[in-house]
Amino acid sequence: MTILFGLSSTMIAVTTDAAKGVTDRFRSLPMAPSAVLTGRAVADLLHSVLILAALLLCGLAVGWRPETLPGAAGAVGLLLFLRFSLLWAGVYLGLRTKDPGAAVAIQTMEFPIGFLSNAFVAPATMPGWLGAVAEWNPLSATVAAARELFGNPGWGGDSWVAQHAVLMALVWPAVVTVVFFTLSVRLYQRLDR
């Protein structure tokens, strides 16, 4: 959930930069349009690394232990990959929005995405259609894969996506990153034209 929440902070930062003229200053410089946006995404990802490190240290302090170090490193990598893809969605939404106050609507959308996943409840206990939505939620794939890699498996499932959680935890963020990176760069190039 920590990885999911914060999409709105990226959106607010991008919108605020545009409102204060920072984006226009960057656009006047001779650099690739993707450089400014990638800088924002990487800066926010580094912030997320610190937050995730603090969360992991708290878990270790209260007695949680991953099964293996390579598995834990893989799980952290998957969590950060999902975060990176969501940052691109935040960048795109920030470029689309003219008012930083609109981030409240995005914050509201973070909750259904988080709660319609397997993070808290097994999809098998949900009504059929809702369980299917939860199983195909990108967050669910990363949660299931991270649990598996940390050696703390949660509830599995019989669906294809549940059986291939690690694969889907790589596919979903890759797709989201490619889509929102492309949309963000195109939108950035067309700002105020």
Side-chain angles (χ1 to χ4, degrees):
M1 294 303 289
T2 300
I3 295 301
L4 173 65
F5 292 144
L7 170 77
S8 55
S9 62
T10 299
M11 181 184 158
I12 290 170
V14 171
T15 304
T16 302
D17 285 351
K20 290 183 176 181
V22 175
T23 303
D24 291 333
R25 287 186 200 108
F26 279 130
R27 290 183 66 229
S28 69
L29 297 173
M31 67 172 85
S34 61
V36 175
L37 302 177
T38 301
R40 164 54 63 193
V42 170
D44 285 359
L45 183 65
L46 292 175
H47 182 259
S48 299
V49 167
L50 294 175
I51 292 171
L52 188 57
L55 210 84
L56 291 170
L57 288 173
C58 288
L60 290 169
V62 297
W64 167 79
R65 299 290 181 265
E67 195 171 271
T68 67
L69 239 54
V76 168
L78 289 176
L79 289 167
L80 291 174
F81 189 31
L82 177 65
R83 177 67 178 157
F84 187 67
S85 70
L86 294 174
L87 290 173
W88 281 108
V91 167
Y92 175 73
L93 293 170
L95 290 171
R96 279 296 235 190
T97 309
K98 302 297 181 205
D99 178 22
V104 173
I106 298 304
Q107 287 173 327
T108 305
M109 293 306 298
E110 290 172 342
F111 285 99
I113 293 169
F115 292 127
L116 286 177
S117 71
N118 65 359
F120 299 108
V121 179
T125 63
M126 299 177 186
W129 67 271
L130 192 59
V133 169
E135 283 186 337
W136 283 93
N137 183 335
L139 181 63
S140 292
T142 303
V143 167
R147 286 176 177 157
E148 181 181 322
L149 291 170
F150 280 132
N152 304 318
W155 37 79
D158 295 330
S159 69
W160 185 90
V161 71
Q163 297 296 319
H164 299 89
V166 174
L167 172 66
M168 292 307 294
L170 290 168
V171 169
W172 274 121
V175 168
V176 171
T177 300
V178 167
V179 167
F180 283 105
F181 173 81
T182 304
L183 290 173
S184 296
V185 170
R186 284 183 184 165
L187 184 57
Y188 183 81
Q189 290 172 325
R190 292 185 315 211
L191 285 176
D192 296 322
R193 284 191 180 171

